[in-house]
Amino acid sequence: MVEREIPEHGFPLHCRFSRIQLIMGIDYDFRWSLLWEDPYGGWLIDALLVTVHLALLSWLFALAIGIVIAVFRVSPVKWLRIIGTSYVEVLRNIPFLVQLFFWYFAVPTLLPRAWMLWWNQLPSANYWTAVVALSIYTSTRVTEQIRSGIHATPNGQYQAGLSIGLSYPQMYRYVILPYAIRVMIPSMTSEFLTIFKNTAFAMVITVPEITFTAKRIENWTFQGIEAYTFASLVYVLTTFSVIAFMGWVERRLHIPGMIKKE
Amino acid sequence: MSMDPPIIQIKNLSFWYGDFKALDNINEEVRKGNCIVICGPSGSGKSSLLRCINGLEKFQQGDVIVDGIGVRNCTDFPKLRSNIGMVFQHFELFPHMNALENITLGPRKVKGKSKKEAEEKGLELLSRVGLSDHSHKHPGNLSGGQQQRVAIARALALEPKVMLFDEPTSALDPEMIGEVLDVMLDLAKEGMTMLVVTHEMGFAREVADEILFIDEGRIIERGTDESFFKHPKNPRTKEFLDKILM
Amino acid sequence: MDWTVIPKNLGFLFEGLIVSFQLAGLTLALALPLGSIIALGRLSSRKWIYYLTSAFVHGLRANPLLLIVFWFYFLVPIIIGRPIGDFTSVLIAFVVFYSAYFAEIVRSGIQSVGRGQIWAGYSIGLTYFQTMRYIILPPALRRMVPLLVTQTIILFQGTTVAFIIGLKEFLHRTSLVSERTLKSFELYIFAAVVYLVICYSGSFLSRRLEVKQ
């Protein structure tokens, strides 16, 4: 048992393992109380909010854009289909960081001088750039999932619907969407989790989300293990909660025999 | 009636699949050269019984002894299984190999035969099941009936003492059932010891030495002749037979 | 718009591309075998192996690559006792991270070969290893290849993350030139096109492989 000095603020943490001899005899002093001490605790809470906000907002935009592009891709108008397909093929094959840098560094230089000056002095310019980049990048994947959702209706079902005289809007409501939604749930879940993890990229343009904050704490205090453990826990717990919740949703919506599993 | 010990002895066999008791205290003896037909409703445990006999399913109670080898504590499954041939409902031919390769895989890798020897025997077996011209075709290019006949040849390639058939014709289109049953009839007449799970009662009437009706994991009734079909003793047997016999 | 900035710096940028390829290539060479072993662990009937490998896979996949890079960048020098190069620590992080993804691809490939095939293999007397080698792996590998190619492309795109710890790969060098010359638009378009060409060729290859089956 090692007695630790009581810091000026916060409370002491007596820990049996407060000093550990790792392999090769390197010492590492654990200081888990760090995570709720001032100012680090505050940083972490803010970072959590930023991460969640960024993820949700980008997700909403990604869905909106994704639906529009999906409509383009199934449209009878050839040009719309070409635009839709090019959008997806181009943006899927460029790494996200490249796209992020493009929006952050390159695009402002294209703006008319007055706009560029206004944009550069915005305090959360980096945040909104991250939203734009993340939404557009994710929309390319969302649109593919929407497309496969729409195509999930078995051909026989489609023909049965037409043969009982349903109109196209009715077909969508009664035949296509029930299949589409159930097929899309797993892939959309996975996509949301991907966007949640991708918020970490925003740290390269100094958006204060969780990973950025963890690195910052490490830079300030050298307590990397504590900081990164907190960050990892945020991602891991979010992942498992979302998976558990969507699993429940999937079970509620499940109709036996509807989606044939291989 | 042979006075040798039975080639298969099933003693107090019980098998649980998780919490579900799939087989409940099965006892049976199969003499060499006999053909036993097993029938029953789906989920009754018939397929599980076959898979317990060649150790594909690990049962928890009782034992099965095949040609002197106990299955429960078997240490050499390849040896046990090379004495037992199995034919599956969905054929299970290896799709990346052609018919001849499917048949020769066992003899080459398990019994150590040379490629030439195995192929000679393989072609013989193929002609026995009526498919000499199809030796280089892949399963994807064969009809269901042809695939199943290749599967029978594959099982016979190891010169087994016992053949197990798990609903061999259930996945076939009606016009192909006959060609497979013909091969099985020939086998039975040649004296192969066979256990067949099937609903083909015509086949049973013609070659079965014994018929077992299994329901909910238990042998409900045994019959050895026509009286099984005409006057089944157990009401459940009667109910089942009424449904499948026209 | 001054596009001459690209030919003027082509050599410098190209060197970065080589680093990106090296990182991707080495990661692939190490993570795929590691992932395959983990996949077998995920299919094991021994509980402790199953739980350990599952925890590994689920835990890693739940974290962003960037955070894993930070973890290793921080921990490896502490554990080994001395600082190690950027490339090595990033490589270790990448290998561990992507092995979890490769493990899932290999596992699903093996599982896609149905139980009936395994039974058929056993029923003709093959051992576990023989069944694996002759019955399960040939079709499984064929099914896995398109997914493995896709994952490799993702891996290649992931090399941009190494930027954050200062590895001078292609994106990093692009940003350096952009800072120096202020021609950010031309340079990032160029970088985008380069990645686009490489990744698109890769996914084209993957689709061709899928059709070939």
Side-chain angles (χ1 to χ4, degrees), chain C residues 19-27 87 90-91 94 155 159 162 167:
Chain C
V19 175
S20 303
F21 274 118
Q22 281 175 335
L23 179 57
L26 275 173
T27 305
F87 189 85
V90 153
L91 181 63
F94 269 52
L155 200 170
T159 57
L167 189 71

Side-chain angles (χ1 to χ4, degrees), chain B residues 17 51 54 56-57 77-78 81-82 84-86 88 92-97 102 105-106 109-110 154-155 158, chain C residues 113-128 130-131 133-139 142-143:
Chain B
Y17 194 71
R51 291 196 290 266
N54 68 353
L56 289 181
E57 301 271 25
F77 276 107
R81 290 172 184 147
S82 55
I84 308 174
M86 188 158 187
F88 299 85
E92 302 297 351
L93 290 181
F94 308 129
H96 49 291
M97 300 180 192
N102 261 277
L105 183 68
K109 300 297 169 188
V110 182
R154 177 178 67 177
L158 289 159
Chain C
V113 181
R115 222 170 26 151
Q117 290 281 297
I118 303 177
W119 280 339
Y122 283 158
S123 73
I124 58 173
L126 298 175
T127 64
Y128 172 79
Q130 286 174 324
T131 311
R133 169 149 166 27
Y134 297 109
I135 311 302
I136 299 185
L137 287 180
R142 216 166 292 166
R143 259 169 255 191

Side-chain angles (χ1 to χ4, degrees), chain A residues 91-138:
Chain A
L91 293 176
R92 275 173 75 164
N93 286 305
I94 301 177
F96 178 64
L97 270 183
V98 177
Q99 295 186 35
L100 184 61
F101 281 9
F102 179 78
W103 289 109
Y104 192 62
F105 292 120
V107 168
T109 65
L110 296 175
L111 295 172
R113 196 158 172 78
W115 287 32
M116 184 169 77
L117 287 172
W118 165 78
W119 176 256
N120 282 342
Q121 54 79 45
L122 267 187
S124 42
N126 57 355
Y127 179 79
W128 293 108
T129 313
V131 173
V132 168
L134 207 47
S135 311
I136 291 182
Y137 179 76
T138 312

